[in-house]
Amino acid sequence: MSFATNALALNQEHFTVVELSLPSFLSTDTCTLADYEGDFFNFITSNNEVFYTSENREFKVLNDDGYYTPLTCDQAYVGTRKQSYYFGTENVPVQYGRPPTSSPPVGTYDIQEPIHPVIISVSETVTELQPGKGLSIQGSATIVFRDFVGDPGPVTTSPFGTYFGKLNARNILTNKVIEIRQNHVQGDNIYTLGDEQIRFYYIESFKQNANGTWTMNCKDLMALLDFDKTQFPKPTGGSLRTAINNTTTTIPVDALTDWSQTSTPYVIRVGDELMKVLSVANNQTATAALTVATRNGQITFDSPTILLSRTEFDEHDLGDAVQICYTSHDQDIDEFLEAVFLDAGFSSSNLPTSDWATEIDEWHPNDKINMIWHEPTASRDVVNQVCTNFLLDMWYDPVATDVKLSAISVWQESGALVEEGKQINQNTFRIVPQDKMRFSRAFISYNKPYKVRNDDIENYRAISVNINAAPESNGQYEEPKTKEFKSSPIIGSNAAALLTQRTTARFGYTPEMYTWETEEKFLNYSTGDIVDITTSARQGFDGRPSTVRGQILSVQPVYDIGRKYRTKALTYEAAFTTGATFTINENSNNINLHTFVGAPSSVVNVTIVVDGATITSNNALSPAVIAGGFAPGSVITLIFINNAQFQSAGGIGGAGGFCAIEYAPASVINAPGGAGGSGGTVYAAQGIETNIYLGGTIDTYTALGTLYAPGGGGGGEDGQGTAPSTAIGGDGGGGGAGNIFGAGGTGGTAVNGTSNTRRWRR
Amino acid sequence: MKISRTNIYTTNQTSMTVDSDADSLQDITNVNTGDFSTAYTSAGTASSFNFAANLSGGTINYVAVAGHTYGSGGGGILRLIINGTIIQNVTFAAGSKNDVIMFTFDQVDVATSIRLLFFKNIDADKVTVTYVSAGITLSLGSQNSEPGGYSRNWLTDSKKVRAQVNDAGAPVAYIRERIARQATLNIDNVNISVTNANQWRQFLDRVYEQGDFFIKENDGSNLADNPLSSYMCFDAQVAPPKAHPDTRQLNNLQITFKTYTGH
């Protein structure tokens, strides 16, 4: 039976096996050890006998076999052979790894190596999501082994010492994979890969304790992102071969750096200046040079044309560092993250990028990254910034060995029901309010024209603010509580608006942290899932058990009698479920309602109360308010209260008609005046059904508001010439009325012609 | 009750052979130690699994096997043969639970061969044997049995269980775990001639140098013989024999240990 099937059994028995795979030479390989204990080597017979000299010193030889590990052989380890070592908890059945019959099912484990039942304890601190804070807490595991007299080989053995002492001496265990295999005792004594849940970790350290035990500390794969391991972009270490002035576009560079490691065009940073490299000449020679675009203070990439950064051109000296930058030009978020993870050494098999793309396409379809990554930064910090700015959760799943990405959890539907007495062990449910995470307001500064400058506020041009008014109102918290995001050079206005809106929507009320214990039989959720939790520990208004939605932050196995799981979850306040109500109570202009409510991807029915606010547009071509990207079939209800208003800009006036005069034969031509422009649109439904209430009573609201239709621009006057001697152009039309008036039309032109020419001009 | 005190299975061993159902990838000498990380598993290609240890001699009156799977699968009959003489047959029903078996028999003064021959009901069954021990048992004179109240560990599973209940107090899940049960054997009124004799020293050597010993409870002297009423004992602490309060001719013994029954 599979692990999942076994886990459903009423009565279960668990045990754990750990497999360690280490690089090893074959017994048929040559493995000699030429430098061990100074100039001499222990001489040990095949019967593990040691000889002593007449002076009672151990007999040693000048050469000896190594121990067939890369560390104990002079020969280079070029193969891929691995030696597996198995360890188990003391309750490993004798039958594990030993098929009970000579014709077992395909895939049955038949383990020839010893399975040492010497595991004293296994403890895991699993990855834990940090909603709103970016990357999850890294997972780790600690395994304690009891040492014993033995030899790990894999080929040569020694009668001295202990098993783990020699294992540690002969191998470099750091960064080697270790598999923690969770098992159930099988009634048929057949154990296969499918019967196990394998959790993959990487060894960080292996140390001997004072009491004859050894402790192995392990980390999950996310450790590759740590600063002391990888930076993004990697330091390239190039330099200028000679000094340059502030205009030259031929940049002499050193001969060692590979300047073609990135395809052109790419960006380099020299001092505080960014330059766009168009081509590389004489790469890795004494005359290596880069041809850069005109140093006009702008780094622009085409298709689509985007100004990625402004820069200040300057003179530079011989030896100045030249860093090759990573350029994000209209780059999808998931593609950028993939690039960072691959650069950090992750295998593509660990990155389910199609799943990432699906998430990003659903929740950030219009958000791209435009950035020049000019300074080597810990890869973890780079990923963390992206996750924070786009409200992404990322974590490593040690079972699937995947890096998971959840684009925005506030919109997920519940996937499981968690009930007391089943998923929640009796009397284990705890609630801890997290008031530190409550934010009714959020803001972030963005739009940093000069990407190289520091992150002081003066280097940012725009700010996005969102206020969730309800929690601040009388009778509720009665105070604002504001989340200030670190200024971001990578997000645009849409992403900034989503970030602040989604933050206040999810964290407007004090989140609650829930913890409980679950038996393996009832474990029907995993990290990142959204669940409905029903427990008497959380009472509703009427005192009965209430159901609350939570996001699973971590599911940690703990070992008591067998396994059980300690779960952490956080209140999951969806930005809204269908039928939710939002309030606009601040004056603003050019609002996208879809973005305002958090960009739901599914069909929703949403009510938006415009409370005393005036929403305008300063451009007749841009509606004051648009429905935005709601899924077809959605319904928007707009309720205006307290004299709320939508206005827009007036239309521009039409141009006056010109007057042209012809002398031979004499005639006067008066062109008609131009038509005035239409007044701006106050609300563009864009195909989404919208109900608008400007008066009357709707639900608990007394509607009172106005949609002001802006005036169109006046038409231009026709040319007013009456005779060859009186050429008069028409007057321009007046601009239409609106929250701002439309521009007036230009006057018509009076033109004197010649007998053979006509000049038509406005 | 029988308690093993010596083990010559390894020390007097000259060679080992697997005469049927051999698996060339396995090492039969794995059964020589009480290290449960290694074992021997037969190939499952013959009707019987047959292996023998050839000895240079030695006195034995017991043979014990621990960590075996004779009862798994289709079961069969285990035959103990010493010096070519059949000592005993024990039947294992299909799927029967037993992991430790201890034969006791009349003393064989010069043992040169110990053969364990298992006739399988299903040829394809593989048989695993983890540890074999053979030697002499401890003779405690007239006190050769367990006292009243002694825990018969072979008659229970070496497990503990926790149950999870719902709000109604009804069980919804059980988790069990194998354990090494702790046991204490108190034997009072043992004549000092026993503890003063070499056999007591041999028992202590067995306990502390090999780390294990075997107990068989129904040994046939005053109860029906039952080789399955056995278990392996380890992690033992032998308290110094205590002088009887009334007479110095007697000692009271106390041995504390963990047991392995395998089920």
Side-chain angles (χ1 to χ4, degrees), chain B residues 41-213:
Chain B
T41 301
S42 71
T45 55
S47 60
S48 65
F49 170 43
N50 180 1
F51 72 97
N54 299 310
L55 309 178
S56 59
T59 305
I60 62 173
N61 67 356
Y62 86 92
V63 172
V65 183
H68 69 75
T69 58
Y70 293 128
S72 299
I77 297 173
L78 175 64
R79 175 174 292 171
L80 172 65
I81 302 171
I82 297 178
N83 294 348
T85 302
I86 299 173
I87 302 297
Q88 194 170 4
N89 291 324
V90 176
T91 300
F92 288 88
S96 59
K97 280 188 172 180
N98 179 268
D99 291 73
V100 182
I101 183 170
M102 182 175 179
F103 298 95
T104 54
F105 42 84
D106 291 341
Q107 182 169 305
V108 176
D109 290 332
V110 182
T112 56
S113 167
I114 299 174
R115 179 174 300 280
L116 288 161
L117 172 56
F118 185 66
F119 299 101
K120 297 185 286 183
N121 290 334
I122 300 173
D123 291 359
D125 280 356
K126 291 187 170 190
V127 179
T128 295
V129 173
T130 305
Y131 181 36
V132 180
S133 173
I136 295 293
T137 56
L138 186 64
S139 175
L140 299 175
S142 60
Q143 304 301 316
N144 244 346
S145 63
E146 65 278 10
Y150 176 66
S151 298
R152 298 190 184 280
N153 283 297
W154 67 280
L155 288 175
T156 186
D157 279 2
S158 295
K159 291 169 184 163
K160 55 183 177 181
V161 177
R162 66 179 170 83
Q164 194 52 238
V165 299
N166 62 15
D167 288 347
V172 293
Y174 299 98
I175 311 296
R176 62 183 189 272
E177 182 170 280
R178 295 178 193 220
I179 58 170
R181 286 193 182 279
Q182 190 92 14
T184 300
L185 176 61
N186 292 301
I187 303 177
D188 292 342
N189 305 327
V190 175
N191 195 294
I192 60 169
S193 63
V194 172
T195 52
N196 289 349
N198 188 46
Q199 67 159 322
W200 181 249
R201 191 71 250 172
Q202 288 177 327
F203 174 70
L204 294 178
D205 288 347
R206 171 79 193 256
V207 168
Y208 292 117
E209 293 179 9
Q210 293 199 26
D212 63 76
F213 63 96

Side-chain angles (χ1 to χ4, degrees), chain A residues 11-13 100 102 519 521, chain B residues 44 124 126 162 172 176 178:
Chain A
N11 200 326
Q12 305 178 20
E13 183 174 341
S102 58
E519 299 301 334
K521 176 187 173 188
Chain B
K126 291 187 170 190
R162 66 179 170 83
V172 293
R176 62 183 189 272
R178 295 178 193 220

Side-chain angles (χ1 to χ4, degrees), chain A residues 153 222 512 529:
Chain A
M222 287 299 205
E512 292 177 333
D529 286 354

Side-chain angles (χ1 to χ4, degrees), chain A residues 295-625:
Chain A
R295 295 162 67 187
N296 59 2
Q298 297 186 351
I299 304 296
T300 301
F301 275 63
D302 299 325
S303 303
T305 300
I306 295 175
L307 173 60
L308 293 181
S309 180
R310 296 182 184 280
T311 188
E312 293 161 312
F313 42 92
D314 200 356
E315 299 173 346
H316 302 284
D317 297 329
L318 179 154
D320 279 1
V322 181
Q323 168 69 37
I324 297 177
C325 307
Y326 181 89
T327 304
S328 292
H329 169 227
D330 198 42
Q331 189 173 25
D332 287 336
I333 300 166
D334 51 295
E335 287 181 5
F336 173 72
L337 289 170
E338 181 185 4
V340 177
F341 278 92
L342 289 175
D343 186 73
F346 282 74
S347 163
S348 57
S349 63
N350 300 127
L351 308 176
T353 48
S354 60
D355 293 346
W356 294 6
T358 302
E359 281 286 289
I360 297 296
D361 286 347
E362 182 170 6
W363 303 114
H364 290 281
N366 302 315
D367 292 326
K368 306 284 185 181
I369 296 180
N370 288 291
M371 176 68 183
I372 295 171
W373 304 89
H374 56 82
E375 181 177 359
T377 307
S379 300
R380 170 174 294 278
D381 292 344
V382 173
V383 174
N384 219 23
Q385 182 178 20
V386 174
C387 287
T388 304
N389 286 174
F390 295 100
L391 263 185
L392 307 176
D393 293 324
M394 293 195 85
W395 69 98
Y396 177 70
D397 182 338
V399 177
T401 65
D402 278 350
V403 178
K404 302 288 188 186
L405 182 150
S406 177
I408 172 63
S409 49
V410 291
W411 296 107
Q412 288 183 12
E413 295 295 325
S414 171
L417 180 62
V418 174
E419 298 177 274
E420 196 159 27
K422 287 186 177 178
Q423 286 78 13
I424 301 173
N425 285 358
Q426 193 181 39
N427 299 324
T428 63
F429 195 83
R430 301 285 182 273
I431 304 173
V432 181
Q434 305 287 310
D435 200 56
K436 286 191 296 187
M437 297 178 71
R438 173 172 65 87
F439 297 110
S440 57
R441 302 181 178 205
F443 72 91
I444 184 169
S445 298
Y446 63 99
N447 188 358
K448 184 182 182 185
Y450 291 84
K451 295 296 192 288
V452 173
R453 290 182 180 173
N454 64 33
D455 274 341
D456 290 348
I457 191 68
E458 63 266 23
N459 291 322
Y460 286 86
R461 295 278 178 83
I463 188 168
S464 177
V465 181
N466 188 279
I467 298 172
N468 183 353
E472 299 179 359
S473 61
N474 286 339
Q476 296 201 30
Y477 294 104
E478 299 181 350
E479 63 166 7
K481 196 160 182 293
T482 305
K483 167 76 174 177
E484 177 186 358
F485 284 98
K486 187 172 180 290
S487 303
S488 173
I490 65 172
I491 58 174
S493 60
N494 186 66
L498 283 178
L499 173 63
T500 54
Q501 189 282 332
R502 287 172 174 169
T503 299
T504 59
R506 181 163 188 194
F507 302 112
Y509 291 87
T510 301
E512 292 177 333
M513 183 78 78
Y514 307 119
T515 59
W516 69 87
E517 290 180 351
T518 302
E519 299 301 334
E520 194 162 281
K521 176 187 173 188
F522 295 112
L523 192 63
N524 60 348
Y525 51 80
S526 57
T527 301
D529 286 354
I530 305 301
V531 297
D532 284 331
I533 304 164
T534 300
T535 168
S536 58
R538 195 180 192 284
Q539 301 174 15
F541 297 138
D542 58 2
R544 290 186 290 186
S546 68
T547 297
V548 61
R549 187 164 290 185
Q551 181 181 21
I552 303 297
L553 305 183
S554 66
V555 183
Q556 175 157 330
V558 291
Y559 301 87
D560 181 5
I561 294 176
R563 296 183 292 272
K564 58 186 175 182
Y565 296 84
R566 190 167 293 139
T567 304
K568 246 184 210 184
L570 188 73
T571 320
Y572 175 76
E573 288 289 348
F576 64 83
T577 53
T578 185
T581 300
F582 293 84
T583 301
I584 300 173
N585 58 5
E586 297 280 333
N587 294 342
S588 185
N589 54 30
N590 299 113
I591 288 183
N592 178 327
L593 294 182
H594 183 246
T595 300
F596 178 76
V597 302
S601 64
S602 56
V603 175
V604 292
N605 186 342
V606 59
T607 298
I608 299 170
V609 177
V610 188
D611 183 2
T614 297
I615 313 301
T616 60
S617 173
N618 294 329
N619 183 341
L621 300 178
S622 299
V625 180

